[in-house]
Amino acid sequence: MRKRILVTGGAGFLGSHLCAKLIDAKHDVLCVDNFYTGSKDNVRGLLKCSRFELMRHDITFPLYVEVDEIYNMACPASPIHYQYDPVQTTKTSVHGSINILGLAKRVRAKILQASTSEVYGDPEVHPQDETYWGRVNPIGPRSCYDEGKRCAETLFFDYRRQHSLSIKVARIFNTYGPRMQLNDGRVVSNFIVQALTGRPITIYGDGKQTRSFCYVDDLVDGLVRLMDTSDEITGPINLGNPFEFTMMELAETIIELTASRSSIEFKALPADDPKQRKPDISRARDTLAWHPSIELRDGLSRTIEYFDTLLCTEGLSVT
Ligand code: NAD
Ligand code: UDP
Ligand code: UDP
């Protein structure tokens, strides 16, 4: 069935892949973005499609449109970007969610929240499953993001309890792939761009901290599957790739795949940086019949190809 779908933050990394998938599935897509970290370039290929519409709007202000489904993706996700204007980050998660939930309530739309593994903070439970309540510092530099996202989850569940909204909460773990910004600041894009330009690979701390990275196509598939579940399925539901590795291993793999001569440079570990992270995806497997299918080296190769082309266009590549 053809649906009218709103994607907030649709010009960002994940949002733009999601918009493309929804357009491919023949839906009408309204992409709303304030271009804080996203860009028109990310959705340029979709602009020629008459079922795609792009609107510049900041979701911390009310929005009146008519839609059937909403993916609330708006929020900067890279630590350097969400810490640049922390008050705006919290506003986006809290005021933004209230506005978009108010909209969903008025038009009775199904609404999905792009939550995050950061709600688990620096976890004492490993791997993290959805029953774990997390260990988040409420007053640190990451709190604007973590607590904003936690409050957004609260709002989603209260709109369900109070107004019977059909909600879906996805806890997204680290995701990577083409269309991350060159200056995104997250580890995969940093390491790839450094490797391709021959600059030192910057490892924060001793590089023994772990993460588990999911390729964007797998992740977006999980989001759409979650949206398509029946009303009683609300989540929260972890979406991510359980394959865990250290940041040192990631650096070594990227150096090998790019045949780079970059050296490794150690820098200070940012405050409250989680030491380990790995999703337990049993719930996603059982409820959505979903699991990631793209292996790290394969996903990294596709991402390297993307950045290589981008850097060549800008005359910056050396490998
Ligand atoms: P991104 O920064 O590339 O995209 C976020 C988009 O939201 C950008 O286009 C930005 O301009 C837009 N935006 C920010 N504030 C806005 C506002 N107030 N009004 C309208 N638009 C606004 O990040 P991403 O990686 O694509 O993340 C998308 C969503 O997924 C975010 O909510 C993020 O918290 C969540 N998430 C992402 C990851 C990941 O690894 N990529 C992990 C966990 C959660
Ligand atoms: N809102 C919006 N678009 C709509 C409906 C509501 O942006 O189509 C905003 C509106 O600004 C409101 C918020 O969502 O403040 C919450 O709406 P809700 O109906 O839940 O609460 P109330 O209007 O009572 O504050
Ligand atoms: N990191 C790093 N070098 C970089 C960027 C990040 O070593 O140039 C580390 C960072 O300290 C963290 C991990 O890589 O331990 C993942 O960082 P990212 O910002 O991608 O995501 P998050 O910390 O939000 O999981």
Side-chain angles (χ1 to χ4, degrees):
M1 193 188 63
R2 182 166 165 180
K3 287 176 277 195
R4 297 164 302 174
I5 305 180
L6 166 64
V7 181
T8 74
F13 161 52
L14 293 182
S16 62
H17 285 273
L18 176 62
C19 286
K21 189 174 172 82
L22 297 172
I23 285 290
D24 279 350
K26 305 291 176 217
H27 297 300
D28 291 329
V29 174
L30 171 60
C31 167
V32 162
D33 205 295
N34 67 351
F35 302 124
Y36 177 57
T37 48
S39 87
K40 254 189 210 170
D41 284 338
N42 284 340
V43 290
R44 199 167 293 286
L46 301 174
L47 290 171
K48 58 183 182 301
C49 175
S50 59
R51 286 178 286 104
F52 182 77
E53 201 179 342
L54 177 61
M55 180 195 283
R56 180 192 288 266
H57 174 79
D58 182 328
I59 63 158
T60 62
F61 296 98
L63 175 68
Y64 288 82
V65 292
E66 313 303 314
V67 290
D68 306 305
E69 283 181 357
I70 305 170
Y71 290 85
N72 189 34
M73 309 298 291
C75 187
S78 160
I80 57 165
H81 294 300
Y82 70 63
Q83 288 172 25
Y84 177 74
D85 187 349
V87 175
Q88 170 68 10
T89 300
T90 303
K91 276 189 194 169
T92 295
S93 282
V94 179
H95 294 187
S97 292
I98 291 175
N99 286 329
I100 302 304
L101 284 160
L103 164 61
K105 179 183 133 198
R106 181 179 59 79
V107 300
R108 303 312 295 175
K110 241 191 209 185
I111 178 165
L112 180 147
Q113 166 67 355
S115 190
T116 168
S117 52
E118 285 283 323
V119 300
Y120 301 124
D122 190 2
E124 315 100 318
V125 166
H126 196 73
Q128 295 80 51
D129 72 33
E130 295 86 347
T131 61
Y132 178 50
W133 288 355
R135 188 166 76 111
V136 172
N137 175 359
I139 57 167
R142 294 176 89 100
S143 312
C144 58
Y145 184 73
D146 299 11
E147 297 290 16
K149 290 283 188 180
R150 286 170 68 96
C151 184
E153 287 200 8
T154 309
L155 286 162
F156 270 68
F157 278 86
D158 281 335
Y159 267 80
R160 175 163 180 91
R161 284 184 282 259
Q162 221 172 312
H163 301 297
S164 308
L165 271 198
S166 177
I167 63 152
K168 315 279 172 193
V169 173
R171 289 188 180 151
I172 303 171
F173 282 65
N174 298 66
T175 302
Y176 70 101
R179 294 205 205 112
M180 297 181 90
Q181 302 286 313
L182 276 175
N183 67 348
D184 181 89
R186 281 176 280 185
V187 70
V188 173
S189 47
N190 269 11
F191 284 4
I192 291 179
V193 172
Q194 289 161 345
L196 290 174
T197 54
R199 283 182 287 139
I201 308 271
T202 52
I203 291 195
Y204 302 161
D206 59 10
K208 290 191 183 136
Q209 69 272 40
T210 69
R211 293 291 186 276
S212 313
F213 281 89
C214 188
Y215 188 69
V216 60
D217 291 357
D218 279 333
L219 195 281
V220 166
D221 176 46
L223 290 177
V224 173
R225 281 175 192 245
L226 176 56
M227 181 63 105
D228 289 346
T229 52
S230 54
D231 274 4
E232 65 276 10
I233 308 290
T234 57
I237 196 154
N238 288 342
L239 292 178
N241 192 325
F243 178 61
E244 183 187 10
F245 45 86
T246 66
M247 294 308 96
M248 179 59 92
E249 286 165 335
L250 177 67
E252 286 163 353
T253 308
I254 289 176
I255 288 174
E256 182 203 322
L257 291 174
T258 52
S260 172
R261 274 168 295 184
S262 288
S263 57
I264 286 181
E265 185 176 290
F266 291 92
K267 293 201 157 190
L269 188 69
D272 298 337
D273 198 274
K275 283 178 275 310
Q276 52 178 5
R277 184 182 289 153
K278 168 181 167 160
D280 177 329
I281 59 163
S282 315
R283 199 180 273 187
R285 280 183 195 274
D286 295 345
T287 320
L288 312 176
W290 176 87
H291 63 91
S293 62
I294 297 157
E295 287 184 10
L296 181 71
R297 294 175 80 87
D298 187 13
L300 284 178
S301 299
R302 297 187 204 185
T303 313
I304 289 166
E305 203 178 308
Y306 168 80
F307 278 111
D308 199 25
T309 308
L310 192 67
L311 289 165
C312 283
T313 320
E314 305 200 358
L316 294 168
S317 185
V318 295
T319 58

